[in-house]
Amino acid sequence: MLLAAYLLFSSSFLIGKATIPNQDTIYVAPTGNDQGQGTLEDPVQSLSHSIELSRSRNVKTICLRGGDYFDVSIKLLPKDSGLNIVSYPNERPRLVGGVKVSQFRKINQLLSACIPNSRTREWDFRMIIINGEQRQRARLPKSGFYQYLNKWDQKSLPGTQGFWSRQPNSEERTLLRYRNSDLDKVSPVNAELTLYQEWLTSYSGLSQIASDTKTAYLTIPSTLPLGAFAERGSKNNKFIVWNTREGLNYPGQWYLDRTTESLVYWPKSGEQNDKIVAIIPKNRSIIEFDSTGVKDVRISGVEICAATNKLQKEEFSSLGIDAAISGDNLKNVLFEKIVVRNCGGSGFKIAGRNIRITDSQLHNIGGSGIVVKGHGQNKISNCTVSDVGLIFFSSVGIYAGNGTSVINCQIKNVPYTGISISGDSVAIENNSIQDVMTELRDGAAIYTSQHKFVHINSNRIAGHGQNQYGIYFDEKSDSCSAQNNIVESNSTPIHVHLSSKILVQNNLFIVDSIYRSSVQKSYDILFQDNIVFHLSRHLQSVAARIPITPYDSTTLFLSDSCTEASGQTRNTLAILGCDSRKGSGKSMISDDVFSLIRSSNLRQLKHIRWPASSNK
């Protein structure tokens, strides 16, 4: 009897074993079947099922065939440590956090599609893709801004001292006072607001509108008191209303009508309701790492698309916003050749040690591009981040925490700071940053605050006009440096505020207006061996915003015209780039200087023998 039972057990085990292929890779394809074996010939269909097979079979490589995978949301656990998720050679799998919607019905000139559970915000989104392109949300006003009337007259203090002489109460952060009839006809169920507040925006819904008193109540308290810094900038005390029927101004716009649980879209010319395919973001995170600790994971060659976010507090640098790739306590995790695009929240929001993000692209994103916090040895390299912060204007290109290196990245078109540094021992090297601070103030292409040993080296920064900071050392920055950088078209290439032991050395500042480098309430600040090259007809005087004299005699002021310098700061040698003796009006330095500027060879530029003009 015992022998028969043993044979029966053995036979069952062997039969079961035979159905499991002996493999080291599980294959996934959009045309597969989750009842399949996960082989190359018989792939499964979903990433979530392939992870279940990986766990049950102890297979640590998942290979994704090219194509679209919809409604994707996975969570990796500590038992998934050692996992590799890779693309099949020469194919691009796209992990879509949303679903297709193609059943539209026509209501006059508009189209409508059912979005179940949107009334309760269980399904919520702020970005959609129609026929492969993002479409604009309904907006009020059609252009420009509304103005709110709140006042905040408390004395401002440094952030390290709490910002205000008195902290705001709840009403001072939730009761919005508006003008005229701006919000009288707006539905509070649907409307969402962007409120400008100097270096950030607050994003919120509305719980109530009282047209008789011209007041509205925010569902999410503003980050700063309403009315703060109203006197500083043209956008402060301004707001925009999104997602209302009244905000449909032209074809191609849409809004989510939560009262009827429907997406309402005004089609463009030529778009027919039976040929429209919409991808509606649904999942807040497409790849999430469990906070209890996942290590030794590699994700390579995949595209991430159409993640959403819930209505949540935006916070500084949009740190409160959900991200398509998220998680805490990661260790030894590599992301390579990743594309993140068309997502309503941020791209990456992760924390840990020895995290590497390389050779990746992020664009057309509602929040920040890459947020990496943690405990050191993290590296972001060879990445392109562009057109981020499309919904949340507090967003940054890259947010770098303790021990993070940002190397050889390109950052462009960002509403706030290009690279925001929030940690000690951070290295920012060989990056190209262009067209940042497009929406807000009091940030920079590269910004750091309250941290030590931040080194900013060999970056190229191109601004777009007045009131632009290139590199900004803010409160309690200590023992930091900016060396060998080229900063162009920023009216203030260097701004140092409430900081100490800052070295600004061997940089090239190219300006086309009044040049100023600002040092405020700081000490042990050294400017050494820098060049200021002026592009306009007059080498205008340096603005007197410097309470101490950080310049030394090695700082050169150059101009590309024969115009005499109209002013010089103390201990500064001004040299003109023309030969006035010949009267030709041609710059003697243009060829050599501009070729060296283009090649970023500052060391060679520093050792040119400059011709002295007769105006010296």
Short mmCIF file of all heavy atoms in Angstrom, two decimals, residues 133-176:
data_model
loop_
_atom_site.label_atom_id
_atom_site.label_comp_id
_atom_site.label_asym_id
_atom_site.label_seq_id
_atom_site.Cartn_x
_atom_site.Cartn_y
_atom_site.Cartn_z
N GLU A 133 -1.64 61.44 -30.22
CA GLU A 133 -1.17 62.75 -29.79
C GLU A 133 -1.87 63.21 -28.52
O GLU A 133 -3.05 62.92 -28.32
CB GLU A 133 -1.42 63.79 -30.89
CG GLU A 133 -0.70 63.53 -32.19
CD GLU A 133 -1.01 64.59 -33.23
OE1 GLU A 133 -1.95 65.39 -32.99
OE2 GLU A 133 -0.34 64.62 -34.27
N GLN A 134 -1.14 63.94 -27.68
CA GLN A 134 -1.77 64.56 -26.52
C GLN A 134 -2.76 65.62 -26.97
O GLN A 134 -2.55 66.29 -27.98
CB GLN A 134 -0.72 65.22 -25.61
CG GLN A 134 0.03 64.28 -24.73
CD GLN A 134 0.88 65.02 -23.71
OE1 GLN A 134 0.52 66.11 -23.28
NE2 GLN A 134 2.00 64.44 -23.32
N ARG A 135 -3.83 65.75 -26.21
CA ARG A 135 -4.80 66.80 -26.48
C ARG A 135 -4.88 67.74 -25.28
O ARG A 135 -4.66 67.32 -24.12
CB ARG A 135 -6.18 66.20 -26.77
CG ARG A 135 -6.23 65.42 -28.07
CD ARG A 135 -6.16 66.37 -29.27
NE ARG A 135 -6.45 65.67 -30.52
CZ ARG A 135 -5.52 65.27 -31.38
NH1 ARG A 135 -4.25 65.47 -31.10
NH2 ARG A 135 -5.86 64.67 -32.51
N GLN A 136 -5.23 68.99 -25.54
CA GLN A 136 -5.24 70.02 -24.50
C GLN A 136 -6.52 69.97 -23.68
O GLN A 136 -7.61 69.78 -24.21
CB GLN A 136 -5.11 71.39 -25.13
CG GLN A 136 -3.79 71.61 -25.86
CD GLN A 136 -2.60 71.56 -24.92
OE1 GLN A 136 -2.63 72.13 -23.83
NE2 GLN A 136 -1.55 70.87 -25.33
N ARG A 137 -6.36 70.15 -22.37
CA ARG A 137 -7.54 70.25 -21.50
C ARG A 137 -8.24 71.59 -21.66
O ARG A 137 -7.62 72.59 -22.02
CB ARG A 137 -7.14 70.10 -20.03
CG ARG A 137 -6.98 68.68 -19.57
CD ARG A 137 -6.82 68.61 -18.08
NE ARG A 137 -5.71 69.43 -17.59
CZ ARG A 137 -5.50 69.69 -16.31
NH1 ARG A 137 -6.33 69.22 -15.41
NH2 ARG A 137 -4.48 70.42 -15.94
N ALA A 138 -9.53 71.59 -21.37
CA ALA A 138 -10.29 72.84 -21.35
C ALA A 138 -9.66 73.80 -20.35
O ALA A 138 -9.27 73.41 -19.25
CB ALA A 138 -11.74 72.57 -20.99
N ARG A 139 -9.58 75.09 -20.73
CA ARG A 139 -8.85 76.08 -19.94
C ARG A 139 -9.62 77.38 -19.86
O ARG A 139 -10.17 77.86 -20.85
CB ARG A 139 -7.48 76.34 -20.59
CG ARG A 139 -6.56 77.29 -19.84
CD ARG A 139 -5.42 77.71 -20.76
NE ARG A 139 -4.27 78.27 -20.07
CZ ARG A 139 -4.15 79.54 -19.72
NH1 ARG A 139 -5.14 80.39 -19.96
NH2 ARG A 139 -3.05 79.97 -19.12
N LEU A 140 -9.65 77.96 -18.67
CA LEU A 140 -10.17 79.30 -18.45
C LEU A 140 -9.12 80.12 -17.69
O LEU A 140 -8.55 79.62 -16.71
CB LEU A 140 -11.46 79.26 -17.62
CG LEU A 140 -12.75 78.82 -18.31
CD1 LEU A 140 -13.87 78.73 -17.29
CD2 LEU A 140 -13.11 79.78 -19.43
N PRO A 141 -8.89 81.35 -18.14
CA PRO A 141 -9.38 81.92 -19.39
C PRO A 141 -8.70 81.27 -20.60
O PRO A 141 -7.77 80.48 -20.44
CB PRO A 141 -8.99 83.40 -19.27
CG PRO A 141 -7.78 83.38 -18.39
CD PRO A 141 -7.98 82.28 -17.41
N LYS A 142 -9.16 81.61 -21.78
CA LYS A 142 -8.61 81.01 -23.00
C LYS A 142 -7.12 81.25 -23.09
O LYS A 142 -6.34 80.38 -23.52
CB LYS A 142 -9.33 81.57 -24.22
CG LYS A 142 -8.86 80.99 -25.54
CD LYS A 142 -9.64 81.57 -26.71
CE LYS A 142 -9.16 81.01 -28.04
NZ LYS A 142 -9.91 81.56 -29.20
N SER A 143 -6.67 82.41 -22.70
CA SER A 143 -5.26 82.76 -22.62
C SER A 143 -5.06 83.68 -21.43
O SER A 143 -6.01 84.28 -20.93
CB SER A 143 -4.76 83.41 -23.90
OG SER A 143 -5.45 84.62 -24.14
N GLY A 144 -3.84 83.79 -20.96
CA GLY A 144 -3.59 84.63 -19.80
C GLY A 144 -4.07 83.99 -18.51
O GLY A 144 -4.12 82.76 -18.39
N PHE A 145 -4.47 84.82 -17.53
CA PHE A 145 -4.76 84.32 -16.19
C PHE A 145 -5.92 85.08 -15.58
O PHE A 145 -6.22 86.21 -15.95
CB PHE A 145 -3.53 84.50 -15.28
CG PHE A 145 -2.25 84.02 -15.89
CD1 PHE A 145 -1.42 84.90 -16.58
CD2 PHE A 145 -1.86 82.70 -15.78
CE1 PHE A 145 -0.25 84.47 -17.18
CE2 PHE A 145 -0.68 82.26 -16.35
CZ PHE A 145 0.13 83.14 -17.06
N TYR A 146 -6.54 84.44 -14.59
CA TYR A 146 -7.39 85.15 -13.65
C TYR A 146 -6.53 85.62 -12.48
O TYR A 146 -5.43 85.13 -12.26
CB TYR A 146 -8.50 84.25 -13.12
CG TYR A 146 -9.56 83.87 -14.13
CD1 TYR A 146 -10.07 82.58 -14.18
CD2 TYR A 146 -10.07 84.80 -15.02
CE1 TYR A 146 -11.06 82.22 -15.09
CE2 TYR A 146 -11.06 84.47 -15.94
CZ TYR A 146 -11.54 83.17 -15.96
OH TYR A 146 -12.51 82.83 -16.87
N GLN A 147 -7.05 86.56 -11.72
CA GLN A 147 -6.32 87.07 -10.56
C GLN A 147 -7.14 86.83 -9.31
O GLN A 147 -8.34 87.06 -9.29
CB GLN A 147 -6.04 88.57 -10.71
CG GLN A 147 -5.24 89.14 -9.56
CD GLN A 147 -4.87 90.60 -9.78
OE1 GLN A 147 -5.17 91.16 -10.84
NE2 GLN A 147 -4.23 91.21 -8.80
N TYR A 148 -6.47 86.33 -8.26
CA TYR A 148 -7.16 86.23 -6.98
C TYR A 148 -6.74 87.38 -6.09
O TYR A 148 -5.65 87.96 -6.25
CB TYR A 148 -6.98 84.86 -6.33
CG TYR A 148 -5.57 84.40 -6.05
CD1 TYR A 148 -4.97 84.60 -4.81
CD2 TYR A 148 -4.85 83.66 -7.00
CE1 TYR A 148 -3.70 84.13 -4.52
CE2 TYR A 148 -3.58 83.18 -6.72
CZ TYR A 148 -3.00 83.41 -5.49
OH TYR A 148 -1.75 82.94 -5.23
N LEU A 149 -7.60 87.73 -5.15
CA LEU A 149 -7.48 88.99 -4.42
C LEU A 149 -6.96 88.85 -3.00
O LEU A 149 -6.92 89.83 -2.26
CB LEU A 149 -8.84 89.69 -4.39
CG LEU A 149 -9.48 89.93 -5.76
CD1 LEU A 149 -10.85 90.57 -5.60
CD2 LEU A 149 -8.57 90.81 -6.63
N ASN A 150 -6.57 87.65 -2.61
CA ASN A 150 -6.08 87.44 -1.24
C ASN A 150 -4.85 88.30 -0.96
O ASN A 150 -4.02 88.55 -1.85
CB ASN A 150 -5.72 85.97 -1.03
CG ASN A 150 -6.91 85.06 -1.23
OD1 ASN A 150 -7.46 84.97 -2.31
ND2 ASN A 150 -7.29 84.36 -0.18
N LYS A 151 -4.73 88.74 0.29
CA LYS A 151 -3.57 89.51 0.73
C LYS A 151 -2.82 88.74 1.82
O LYS A 151 -3.43 88.10 2.68
CB LYS A 151 -4.01 90.87 1.28
CG LYS A 151 -4.81 91.72 0.30
CD LYS A 151 -3.97 92.16 -0.87
CE LYS A 151 -4.76 93.08 -1.79
NZ LYS A 151 -3.98 93.48 -2.99
N TRP A 152 -1.50 88.82 1.76
CA TRP A 152 -0.67 88.23 2.80
C TRP A 152 0.48 89.20 3.05
O TRP A 152 1.39 89.34 2.23
CB TRP A 152 -0.15 86.86 2.38
CG TRP A 152 0.76 86.24 3.39
CD1 TRP A 152 2.12 86.16 3.34
CD2 TRP A 152 0.38 85.61 4.62
NE1 TRP A 152 2.61 85.53 4.46
CE2 TRP A 152 1.57 85.17 5.26
CE3 TRP A 152 -0.84 85.38 5.25
CZ2 TRP A 152 1.55 84.52 6.48
CZ3 TRP A 152 -0.85 84.72 6.46
CH2 TRP A 152 0.33 84.30 7.07
N ASP A 153 0.42 89.89 4.18
CA ASP A 153 1.38 90.95 4.44
C ASP A 153 2.34 90.63 5.58
O ASP A 153 3.01 91.53 6.11
CB ASP A 153 0.65 92.26 4.73
CG ASP A 153 -0.35 92.14 5.88
OD1 ASP A 153 -0.39 91.07 6.52
OD2 ASP A 153 -1.09 93.11 6.13
N GLN A 154 2.45 89.36 5.94
CA GLN A 154 3.39 88.99 6.99
C GLN A 154 4.83 89.07 6.47
O GLN A 154 5.09 88.83 5.29
CB GLN A 154 3.10 87.57 7.50
CG GLN A 154 1.72 87.40 8.09
CD GLN A 154 1.49 88.32 9.29
OE1 GLN A 154 2.31 88.39 10.20
NE2 GLN A 154 0.37 89.04 9.26
N LYS A 155 5.73 89.41 7.35
CA LYS A 155 7.13 89.53 6.97
C LYS A 155 7.67 88.17 6.55
O LYS A 155 7.48 87.17 7.23
CB LYS A 155 7.95 90.07 8.14
CG LYS A 155 9.43 90.23 7.83
CD LYS A 155 10.20 90.73 9.04
CE LYS A 155 11.69 90.84 8.74
NZ LYS A 155 12.45 91.31 9.93
N SER A 156 8.36 88.15 5.42
CA SER A 156 8.96 86.89 4.96
C SER A 156 10.32 86.67 5.62
O SER A 156 11.07 87.63 5.88
CB SER A 156 9.12 86.91 3.44
OG SER A 156 9.99 87.93 3.03
N LEU A 157 10.63 85.42 5.89
CA LEU A 157 11.87 85.01 6.54
C LEU A 157 12.57 83.97 5.67
O LEU A 157 11.94 83.38 4.77
CB LEU A 157 11.60 84.40 7.92
CG LEU A 157 10.86 85.28 8.93
CD1 LEU A 157 10.52 84.47 10.18
CD2 LEU A 157 11.70 86.51 9.30
N PRO A 158 13.83 83.70 5.90
CA PRO A 158 14.46 82.58 5.20
C PRO A 158 13.70 81.28 5.44
O PRO A 158 13.09 81.09 6.50
CB PRO A 158 15.86 82.53 5.81
CG PRO A 158 16.11 83.93 6.30
CD PRO A 158 14.78 84.43 6.77
N GLY A 159 13.75 80.41 4.47
CA GLY A 159 13.04 79.13 4.59
C GLY A 159 13.49 78.33 5.80
O GLY A 159 12.68 77.62 6.42
N THR A 160 14.76 78.44 6.15
CA THR A 160 15.27 77.71 7.31
C THR A 160 14.72 78.26 8.62
O THR A 160 14.89 77.65 9.67
CB THR A 160 16.80 77.76 7.33
OG1 THR A 160 17.23 79.13 7.24
CG2 THR A 160 17.37 76.97 6.17
N GLN A 161 14.06 79.43 8.55
CA GLN A 161 13.45 80.02 9.74
C GLN A 161 11.92 79.99 9.67
O GLN A 161 11.25 80.67 10.44
CB GLN A 161 13.94 81.46 9.92
CG GLN A 161 15.44 81.58 10.12
CD GLN A 161 15.90 83.02 10.21
OE1 GLN A 161 15.13 83.92 10.55
NE2 GLN A 161 17.17 83.26 9.90
N GLY A 162 11.39 79.21 8.74
CA GLY A 162 9.95 79.04 8.69
C GLY A 162 9.19 79.89 7.71
O GLY A 162 7.97 79.87 7.68
N PHE A 163 9.90 80.69 6.91
CA PHE A 163 9.33 81.51 5.84
C PHE A 163 8.59 82.77 6.32
O PHE A 163 8.66 83.80 5.68
CB PHE A 163 8.38 80.71 4.95
CG PHE A 163 9.07 79.70 4.08
CD1 PHE A 163 8.94 78.35 4.32
CD2 PHE A 163 9.87 80.12 3.03
CE1 PHE A 163 9.57 77.42 3.51
CE2 PHE A 163 10.52 79.20 2.21
CZ PHE A 163 10.37 77.84 2.47
N TRP A 164 7.82 82.68 7.43
CA TRP A 164 6.96 83.81 7.78
C TRP A 164 7.07 84.16 9.27
O TRP A 164 7.33 83.30 10.11
CB TRP A 164 5.49 83.47 7.48
CG TRP A 164 5.30 82.86 6.14
CD1 TRP A 164 4.97 81.57 5.85
CD2 TRP A 164 5.45 83.52 4.88
NE1 TRP A 164 4.91 81.39 4.50
CE2 TRP A 164 5.20 82.56 3.88
CE3 TRP A 164 5.77 84.83 4.51
CZ2 TRP A 164 5.25 82.87 2.52
CZ3 TRP A 164 5.83 85.14 3.16
CH2 TRP A 164 5.58 84.16 2.18
N SER A 165 6.83 85.43 9.56
CA SER A 165 6.83 85.87 10.96
C SER A 165 5.63 85.28 11.71
O SER A 165 5.65 85.15 12.93
CB SER A 165 6.78 87.40 11.03
OG SER A 165 5.66 87.90 10.33
N ARG A 166 4.57 84.97 10.98
CA ARG A 166 3.43 84.24 11.53
C ARG A 166 2.99 83.20 10.53
O ARG A 166 2.88 83.47 9.33
CB ARG A 166 2.26 85.20 11.81
CG ARG A 166 0.99 84.47 12.29
CD ARG A 166 -0.16 85.42 12.54
NE ARG A 166 -0.69 86.05 11.35
CZ ARG A 166 -1.53 85.47 10.49
NH1 ARG A 166 -1.91 84.20 10.66
NH2 ARG A 166 -1.99 86.13 9.44
N GLN A 167 2.74 81.99 10.98
CA GLN A 167 2.32 80.93 10.07
C GLN A 167 0.84 81.10 9.70
O GLN A 167 0.02 81.50 10.52
CB GLN A 167 2.54 79.56 10.71
CG GLN A 167 4.01 79.23 10.96
CD GLN A 167 4.84 79.35 9.70
OE1 GLN A 167 4.54 78.73 8.68
NE2 GLN A 167 5.90 80.16 9.76
N PRO A 168 0.49 80.79 8.44
CA PRO A 168 -0.90 80.96 8.01
C PRO A 168 -1.82 79.93 8.66
O PRO A 168 -1.42 78.80 8.94
CB PRO A 168 -0.81 80.74 6.49
CG PRO A 168 0.38 79.85 6.31
CD PRO A 168 1.36 80.28 7.37
N ASN A 169 -3.07 80.33 8.89
CA ASN A 169 -4.05 79.37 9.38
C ASN A 169 -4.70 78.67 8.19
O ASN A 169 -4.40 78.95 7.02
CB ASN A 169 -5.09 80.06 10.27
CG ASN A 169 -5.83 81.18 9.54
OD1 ASN A 169 -6.17 81.07 8.36
ND2 ASN A 169 -6.09 82.28 10.26
N SER A 170 -5.62 77.77 8.47
CA SER A 170 -6.24 76.96 7.42
C SER A 170 -6.97 77.81 6.40
O SER A 170 -6.85 77.59 5.18
CB SER A 170 -7.20 75.95 8.05
OG SER A 170 -7.89 75.22 7.07
N GLU A 171 -7.72 78.79 6.85
CA GLU A 171 -8.50 79.61 5.92
C GLU A 171 -7.61 80.40 4.99
O GLU A 171 -7.95 80.62 3.82
CB GLU A 171 -9.41 80.55 6.70
CG GLU A 171 -10.30 81.40 5.82
CD GLU A 171 -11.26 82.26 6.60
OE1 GLU A 171 -12.26 81.73 7.11
OE2 GLU A 171 -11.00 83.49 6.70
N GLU A 172 -6.43 80.81 5.48
CA GLU A 172 -5.52 81.60 4.67
C GLU A 172 -4.85 80.77 3.58
O GLU A 172 -4.14 81.30 2.73
CB GLU A 172 -4.48 82.28 5.56
CG GLU A 172 -5.09 83.39 6.40
CD GLU A 172 -4.18 83.83 7.53
OE1 GLU A 172 -3.42 82.99 8.06
OE2 GLU A 172 -4.23 85.03 7.90
N ARG A 173 -5.10 79.47 3.60
CA ARG A 173 -4.56 78.59 2.56
C ARG A 173 -5.65 77.88 1.77
O ARG A 173 -5.34 77.12 0.84
CB ARG A 173 -3.61 77.57 3.19
CG ARG A 173 -2.39 78.20 3.85
CD ARG A 173 -1.60 77.19 4.64
NE ARG A 173 -1.11 76.11 3.79
CZ ARG A 173 -0.86 74.88 4.23
NH1 ARG A 173 -1.08 74.57 5.50
NH2 ARG A 173 -0.40 73.98 3.41
N THR A 174 -6.90 78.09 2.11
CA THR A 174 -7.98 77.38 1.41
C THR A 174 -9.09 78.29 0.88
O THR A 174 -9.82 77.88 -0.02
CB THR A 174 -8.63 76.33 2.34
OG1 THR A 174 -9.11 76.98 3.52
CG2 THR A 174 -7.65 75.24 2.70
N LEU A 175 -9.24 79.50 1.41
CA LEU A 175 -10.32 80.39 0.99
C LEU A 175 -9.79 81.35 -0.08
O LEU A 175 -9.02 82.26 0.20
CB LEU A 175 -10.86 81.18 2.17
CG LEU A 175 -12.02 82.14 1.85
CD1 LEU A 175 -13.22 81.38 1.30
CD2 LEU A 175 -12.40 82.93 3.10
N LEU A 176 -10.22 81.13 -1.31
CA LEU A 176 -9.77 81.92 -2.44
C LEU A 176 -10.77 83.03 -2.75
O LEU A 176 -11.97 82.78 -2.89
CB LEU A 176 -9.63 81.02 -3.67
CG LEU A 176 -9.12 81.68 -4.95
CD1 LEU A 176 -7.62 81.92 -4.86
CD2 LEU A 176 -9.46 80.82 -6.17
#
